[in-house]
Amino acid sequence: MKIIRLGITALITVFCIASCGQVASSTQGSPLSADDEEKLRAFKTELWGKAYDEQDTVLLSKLLHENFLLVDDNGDTYSKADEIEYISNYPPSYSTFEYEIDRIQIFDNGTAVVFGKGIMKGEDADGVYITTYKSSNTLIKVDGDWQAINSHVSGVKEERIQDAPSY
């Protein structure tokens, strides 16, 4: 009986290893290229902001992976569908937005992490404000294009500017 159990255990182990290998290879990123860092910079400093600024759901859909998950500064989570619905219904309240990249790490498996600071400037009923936050974003390369699969936002700070010109 021990031989059969060991045989079944070995068979299950081999099946699990083979299955994990199939999952890993089917989700592996595309080969890296010399201009990946430049593409990632444009992704974070231009394209992602543009999608929100212009409420461009088509662009945002291309930028976010199907399994995208955002964790905001309150610990709430949002999916790709949530983000697309949000930008469809809510135009930006800020006047200007920029993203400063502090660090980009690109890994051989087609994964990258981009860390930086978002800066939003605007004016509302309470006056002129500047809102800053930190974010880390995990991106994977799929069919030659980078897509965000995870984003984490923290350290949101709002500063009110007295007697400031409008933005």
Side-chain angles (χ1 to χ4, degrees):
M1 196 64 150
K2 287 184 179 181
I3 294 174
I4 294 174
R5 280 191 189 156
L6 183 58
I8 291 172
T9 302
L11 183 61
I12 291 171
T13 302
V14 169
F15 176 75
C16 287
I17 291 170
S19 296
C20 290
Q22 289 174 352
V23 169
S25 66
S26 68
T27 59
Q28 269 185 341
S30 301
L32 297 178
S33 61
D35 63 346
D36 279 325
E37 184 172 339
E38 183 180 320
K39 287 179 181 179
L40 289 164
R41 284 188 184 283
F43 188 105
K44 277 302 295 176
T45 62
E46 298 169 25
L47 297 175
W48 202 331
K50 178 181 178 178
Y52 281 85
D53 289 347
E54 299 176 6
Q55 294 180 279
D56 188 339
T57 58
V58 173
L59 176 57
L60 189 62
S61 184
K62 289 178 185 177
L63 299 177
L64 303 183
H65 188 272
E66 289 304 312
N67 295 319
F68 175 78
L69 186 67
L70 165 70
V71 180
D72 73 7
D73 61 313
N74 293 319
D76 296 322
T77 58
Y78 301 93
S79 68
K80 176 180 181 174
D82 295 331
E83 286 301 290
I84 290 172
E85 180 181 350
Y86 178 82
I87 72 164
S88 295
N89 296 314
Y90 300 99
S93 59
Y94 53 83
S95 301
T96 64
F97 172 81
E98 76 179 73
Y99 192 83
E100 298 173 353
I101 295 174
D102 292 329
R103 185 175 73 195
I104 295 178
Q105 294 177 287
I106 303 172
F107 301 95
D108 291 338
N109 66 353
T111 304
V113 177
V114 180
F115 173 77
K117 177 181 177 180
I119 304 162
M120 298 176 286
K121 298 176 182 178
E123 186 174 3
D124 59 18
D126 295 326
V128 175
Y129 66 87
I130 298 175
T131 301
T132 60
Y133 66 90
K134 294 285 190 166
S135 74
S136 58
N137 303 275
T138 305
L139 298 98
I140 58 175
K141 199 168 185 186
V142 178
D143 297 329
D145 294 320
W146 288 99
Q147 291 185 314
I149 194 161
N150 182 275
S151 184
H152 184 265
V153 174
S154 62
V156 176
K157 296 176 185 171
E158 183 178 280
E159 179 184 358
R160 290 291 170 168
I161 312 295
Q162 300 300 319
D163 302 320
S166 296
Y167 285 108

